[in-house]
Amino acid sequence: MKQDTLLLIDGFNLLSRGYFATAYNKTEDQIQKSSKGQYTNALRIFFQKLFNLINDHGITHLAVAWDVKREDTSRRQKYDFYKASRNELPLPLIQQYETLKEVLNMIGIKQLEMSPYEADDIIGTLSTKWTKETQGSCLIYSNDKDLLQLLNQQTSQIIAKKKEEIIYTINHFKSEYGIDSKQWIDVKALLGDKSDNIPGCPGVGEKSALPLVQEYHSVEELFEKIDQLDKKYNRYKKKLTEGRESVFISKELATIFCEITDFDMLNFQELKLALSQDHILAVMEELELKIKLNLKAV
């Protein structure tokens, strides 16, 4: 019997990567459009990748997770600096986002969005629920390294490299970093994240953040033992002491929330794929998207 495999897609991560990869150095009038004037460059990338993933990994269940507006997230409501440095989105990308949500509904792909949570929280909640309730595997599609904290024996992340994609497992993670996936949050708490405007601990960088977590296991334990800090970290003692509050705020912001109660009653049968190749091809043709489609029975 075929093993169930859940695919969780960080929707905007995939859509925006496709957009910027194909719109780079182009003016809006140079970006790919349909004969009706609808922008399609990011849609083409999104759908081709979606169908490739379904085929290549034997996906049986699928959901696309979306962020709510930045201002509506609980993190932004509590800390107004969170993601404050993000630029406004280009109009062709916004238009394709709106089209994409309509089309995914038309072809039967489940989408999930829940205020005040972000897509990462939805992915975290569903992957945790899947691990508790099934024996199947879960694949997360995103290049966002924040999601590494969700890895376990059933849950892996598909990460796109320059010319290939790898299924990054918990074993890969432990081998590379020498810590458990949950401790990735503590590394992020020290390092921060410029793209999300998470401050971390000023003066503590990549060379020290991971070794500190490897040795002290968590930022809580690190600060409990700050007075007996290993001599090799002496140069960081003052920086850590001064940055303590920033570290704990950063940990709060970096922690993916995995217990959205609105999904407690979600039945994974709702995410089971039942796609019609003929219907999908007709929809793609209407959008004037040339997509290679050879779906196995799903």
Side-chain angles (χ1 to χ4, degrees):
M1 186 177 174
K2 181 180 177 184
Q3 184 193 44
D4 285 345
T5 301
L6 169 66
L7 174 64
L8 298 172
I9 295 178
D10 180 347
F12 209 77
N13 181 276
L14 174 54
L15 183 69
S16 60
R17 274 168 43 215
Y19 175 81
F20 289 111
T22 53
Y24 183 70
N25 271 348
K26 292 181 180 176
T27 60
E28 287 190 9
D29 62 337
Q30 293 173 319
I31 296 171
Q32 180 184 347
K33 294 178 188 172
S34 69
S35 62
K36 298 171 185 173
Q38 184 176 40
Y39 292 103
T40 57
N41 64 316
L43 293 174
R44 178 177 58 82
I45 300 287
F46 189 101
F47 283 116
Q48 189 62 72
K49 176 53 62 182
L50 172 68
F51 300 132
N52 287 350
L53 288 168
I54 292 171
N55 252 358
D56 295 346
H57 301 289
I59 302 304
T60 58
H61 298 69
L62 191 153
V64 176
W66 294 109
D67 291 314
V68 293
K69 289 182 179 178
R70 198 181 314 161
E71 292 73 23
D72 295 339
T73 66
S74 54
R75 292 174 181 86
R76 182 61 178 269
Q77 288 167 3
K78 189 169 182 180
Y79 301 106
D80 61 2
F81 60 83
Y82 177 66
K83 293 190 176 180
S85 56
R86 294 278 180 98
N87 295 325
E88 291 300 311
L89 299 173
L91 286 175
L93 177 54
I94 294 171
Q95 184 197 82
Q96 290 179 85
Y97 161 72
E98 291 167 350
T99 302
L100 176 58
K101 291 183 77 176
E102 291 176 11
V103 175
L104 287 172
N105 276 334
M106 288 169 62
I107 64 176
I109 301 289
K110 184 76 171 178
Q111 301 172 80
L112 297 169
E113 186 177 314
M114 181 72 62
S115 183
Y117 305 104
E118 298 179 53
D120 287 5
D121 302 315
I122 294 172
I123 290 170
T125 298
L126 291 188
S127 63
T128 301
K129 182 178 169 68
W130 180 264
T131 299
K132 287 177 180 176
E133 296 180 7
T134 81
Q135 299 299 311
S137 60
C138 175
L139 294 173
I140 297 169
Y141 189 82
S142 175
N143 266 29
D144 185 350
K145 285 194 169 184
D146 291 350
L147 293 158
L148 294 176
Q149 65 189 266
L150 301 175
L151 300 182
N152 58 40
Q153 290 301 327
Q154 285 174 249
T155 303
S156 302
Q157 185 170 347
I158 302 174
I159 299 175
K161 301 289 186 180
K162 283 186 178 177
K163 292 187 178 179
E164 63 173 352
E165 288 181 345
I166 61 165
I167 298 179
Y168 195 81
T169 67
I170 185 64
N171 294 332
H172 288 127
F173 179 88
K174 287 179 177 178
S175 175
E176 182 171 354
Y177 295 106
I179 57 175
D180 189 61
S181 56
K182 292 296 181 190
Q183 293 172 286
W184 187 242
I185 306 166
D186 296 280
V187 175
K188 297 281 291 185
L190 292 169
L191 270 183
D193 188 331
K194 285 184 181 178
S195 67
D196 289 342
N197 226 31
I198 297 176
C201 185
V204 175
E206 291 186 12
K207 289 182 180 178
S208 51
L210 180 59
L212 281 165
V213 175
Q214 288 170 335
E215 187 161 341
Y216 293 97
H217 312 298
S218 69
V219 292
E220 287 82 2
E221 191 171 333
L222 169 63
F223 283 106
E224 279 176 21
K225 298 179 177 176
I226 196 76
D227 291 331
Q228 298 89 42
L229 199 65
D230 193 311
K231 288 180 181 178
K232 65 187 175 206
Y233 300 118
N234 271 350
R235 58 182 291 207
Y236 299 108
K237 190 170 183 178
K238 187 171 184 289
K239 293 170 183 174
L240 286 165
T241 303
E242 291 174 349
R244 188 180 190 281
E245 184 181 2
S246 177
V247 168
F248 283 105
I249 289 172
S250 297
K251 182 165 183 174
E252 182 184 350
L253 288 170
T255 301
I256 294 174
F257 185 70
C258 297
E259 298 175 1
I260 302 175
T261 54
D262 297 75
F263 294 135
D264 284 352
M265 301 307 293
L266 181 137
N267 186 327
F268 282 114
Q269 194 66 23
E270 296 173 40
L271 308 186
K272 191 169 178 64
L273 287 178
L275 305 178
S276 162
Q277 180 156 305
D278 289 343
H279 177 55
I280 291 170
L281 284 171
V283 173
M284 294 299 114
E285 190 173 337
E286 179 68 22
L287 289 168
E288 298 174 22
L289 294 176
K290 293 181 180 177
I291 302 292
K292 294 178 183 176
L293 189 65
N294 184 26
L295 292 176
K296 296 159 188 171
V298 289

